[in-house]
């Protein structure tokens, strides 16, 4: 019985050491903090070191089967990921085809990093703003359309945010270049991504 108790104590001790190590060096701590907690803590963290991400990033979506596009990746560097969160057809009154992207990053007690279509910035001691930096084009049937912004979101997920676009401009529907029952594949290209960085104040 004593041997069993010693083994249990050893396991508990080892687990405590591992937990303490990760706590000190920066454990993701999904059960204690979210990315927004870091971004909103202006006393301990700064967002002054973020920067624009160069390059064009594309994903193809099938208009014949909208649900099949959910989860397709626009961007993935191993630490940051942007993927199709939803896509729908809201009809003419709602702007036709729309798409929402989910951006997921990394965070720990030492800071956070998020590559997104939006720039989350501090504008006052406890005032924050979200600015859309991304632009999107939709290439379909030999034509390239400028996609308008549909919406942006704050850091509403524990590891990131979301941003969205209308796929096609209103005049494309008005001129019957695009219908509400398209069956083809459209190539979406996004530029202007931004790497939001929050690091501990010196």
């Amino acid at each position: 019985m004593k041997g069993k108790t010693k083994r249990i104590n050893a396991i508990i001790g080892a687990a405590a050491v591992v937990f303490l190590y990760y706590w000190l060096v920066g454990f993701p701590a999904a059960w204690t903090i979210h990315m927004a907690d870091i971004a909103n803590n202006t006393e301990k963290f700064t967002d002054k070191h973020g920067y624009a991400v160069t390059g064009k990033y594309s994903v193809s979506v099938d208009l014949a089967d909208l649900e099949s596009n959910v989860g397709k990746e626009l961007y993935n560097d191993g630490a940051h990921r942007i993927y199709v969160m939803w896509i729908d057809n809201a009809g003419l009154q709602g702007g036709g085809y729309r798409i929402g992207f989910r951006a997921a990053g990394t965070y720990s007690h030492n800071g956070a990093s998020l590559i997104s279509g939006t720039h989350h910035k501090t504008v006052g001691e406890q005032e924050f703003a979200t600015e859309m930096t991304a632009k999107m084009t939709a290439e379909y049937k030999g034509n390239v359309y400028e996609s308008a912004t549909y919406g942006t979101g704050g850091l509403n997920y524990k590891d990131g945010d979301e941003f969205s676009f209308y796929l096609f401009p209103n005049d494309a529907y008005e001129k019957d270049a695009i219908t509400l029952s398209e069956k083809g594949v459209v190539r979406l290209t996004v530029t202007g991504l931004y790497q939001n960085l929050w690091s501990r104040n010196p």
Side-chain angles (χ1 to χ4, degrees):
M1 194 67 171
K2 290 183 178 180
K4 185 176 181 180
T5 301
K6 287 182 178 180
R7 284 196 299 273
I8 293 174
N9 289 338
I11 292 171
I12 292 173
V17 170
V18 170
F19 177 81
L20 180 61
Y21 170 78
Y22 281 111
W23 179 268
L24 292 173
V25 302
F27 192 69
W31 61 89
T32 58
I33 62 169
H34 290 177
M35 189 174 284
D37 298 323
I38 295 169
N40 295 337
N41 191 343
T42 56
E43 289 185 8
K44 292 184 178 180
F45 298 95
T46 178
D47 62 0
K48 302 302 181 185
H49 305 296
Y51 58 89
V53 177
T54 59
K56 300 178 180 181
Y57 305 93
S58 299
V59 62
S60 294
V61 298
D62 184 357
L63 298 181
D65 185 359
L66 297 182
E67 284 298 315
S68 70
N69 301 296
V70 174
K72 288 184 177 180
E73 291 186 337
L74 174 75
Y75 181 95
N76 190 337
D77 64 6
H80 309 88
R81 183 175 175 234
I82 301 174
Y83 59 92
V84 177
M85 184 178 183
W86 58 265
I87 181 169
D88 67 7
N89 183 342
L92 284 179
Q93 297 302 316
Y97 293 98
R98 308 177 299 185
I99 189 167
F101 293 101
R102 167 84 157 85
T106 62
Y107 65 99
S108 73
H109 287 286
N110 294 320
S113 176
L114 176 69
I115 293 179
S116 175
T118 56
H119 176 193
H120 301 278
K121 55 185 178 180
T122 304
V123 295
E125 188 172 334
Q126 286 299 323
E127 296 178 44
F128 308 93
T130 299
E131 174 190 1
M132 184 71 147
T133 61
K135 296 184 182 301
M136 190 176 83
T137 59
E139 183 178 352
Y140 188 62
K141 292 184 177 179
N143 297 313
V144 177
Y145 301 93
E146 298 288 335
S147 304
T149 298
Y150 172 60
T152 60
L155 297 169
N156 298 325
Y157 301 91
K158 67 179 182 180
D159 61 353
D161 66 7
E162 64 177 300
F163 57 99
S164 51
F165 295 93
Y166 296 99
L167 265 65
F168 305 108
N170 286 334
D171 62 1
Y173 297 100
E174 293 169 358
K175 295 175 181 177
D176 294 326
I178 301 293
T179 69
L180 295 174
S181 57
E182 295 292 335
K183 302 299 181 185
V185 174
V186 56
R187 182 75 168 171
L188 305 177
T189 300
V190 176
T191 58
L193 296 179
Y194 189 86
Q195 181 157 10
N196 298 273
L197 287 172
W198 295 274
S199 55
R200 283 194 175 273
N201 289 316

